[in-house]
Amino acid sequence: MQEEIRFATFNVCNLAPAGAKLYDNLEPLSPAQYAAKAEWTARQIDLLDADVIGFQEIFSQAALRDVLSRTRHYREATVAGYDAMDPAGRMLPTVALVSRLPLAGAGVAWADFPTGMSVSADDNACRFARAPLHVQVILPGGQLTDVVVVHLKSRRPDYRHGDGNDAASYALANLRSLQRRGAEAVALRVLASELGHSGRPRIVLGDFNDIANAVTTSIVMGAGAPCEAGMEMRARLYDANAIQLRQDALRHVGYTNIHDSAYMTIDHILVSEHFHPASPRAIGVLQEVTYLNDHLLLGLPHASDHGQVLARIKLLGNID
C-alpha cells in the first residue's frame, strides 16, 4: 500500500484562455503569453508531484485541462471543478481539484452560506464570492476523506460608488473586505464542522487571504471554540505547517505572497486530527510542509504571484 500521500494548494493567478477579458484593468493574454503561462504552470504541477492539488483562480476548466495535458504526471488525473460567469457573460474565478487518487463522486460547489446565516443587508451577503469545492477523496486503503478547496475574499479594498480618496474611505473599504472575508470564514467553519460529524478525515486547503494566526483563519480552524470534554481535538482543524514533524527554524522560508515588500503566508493546508501526531485517532502524520516560492523573487511575467504549499503525510499502517 502507498505509504505517503501528498496534498498541495496552488493559486495559479488568473488561468484563462488567450484573448479572454477578465478585468477592466487587465489585458487579455496573447497566444504566446498563454503558452508560456501554461507551460510554467505545468512544470510547477509536476514539481509538486502531489496526489491531490487544490487550485484557485481558475477562470476556465478547459484551460486547466490544457495545462494538465502539458504535464508529465497528471495527464490521466481526475479533475473536479466548475466554470462561472457574471451576468454580462464574463468569466469569473473559481477553484478546482486535481487528483491522482480516486474520487467517490463529482465535487460539490458550496455557493451559499449555511441556512439562516446572514451578516448584512448586502444582496450577496449569504453567498461565497468564490464557492468552495467539496470533494470526497479515497485514500490508499479505502479511507474516505473530505477535501475542501477554498479561496476566501481578497484583501483588496472594497470601494463603493461615491467613496472618496481620503484615508477614511480607504479604511472603510478595507473594513468591508475584512467583514466579507470574516463572514466567509464563519460560513466555512460551519460547513466544515458539519462534515466533521461523520468522523471522516478532513482537509481544507487553499488561499485564505490571511495568515495562519489571523482571526479569520482561526475561525475556520475552530481554535479555542467551546466543546465537550475530550472532544477538543475532534472539533477543530490544524495548520499543517504548525504540526509537521520536521520543524527546522533555520531553513523555514514559508511565505506564499509578497505585497508591498512584506512576506506573508496566506495559502494554507488545514487538517483534522486524523493527521495530527498527537491524536490517538490519527491515521497518518504530517511529516513535512514545503513551499515552492523561488519564482516570487524572479518576477517572471508568466508565473503565479503565489507560492505553492505541499504537505507530505505518512500513513500509519493499513486503513480500514
Side-chain angles (χ1 to χ4, degrees), residues 5 7 101-102 137-145 201 275 283 315 319:
I5 51 176
F7 287 81
L101 297 176
V137 177
I138 303 174
L139 301 187
Q143 173 66 64
L144 202 61
T145 298
F275 306 108
I283 65 170
L315 296 175
I319 302 175

Side-chain angles (χ1 to χ4, degrees), residues 260-278:
D260 289 340
S261 299
Y263 291 69
M264 299 182 295
T265 303
I266 60 175
D267 303 82
H268 309 289
I269 298 176
L270 310 181
V271 301
S272 62
E273 64 159 343
H274 302 81
F275 306 108
H276 196 302

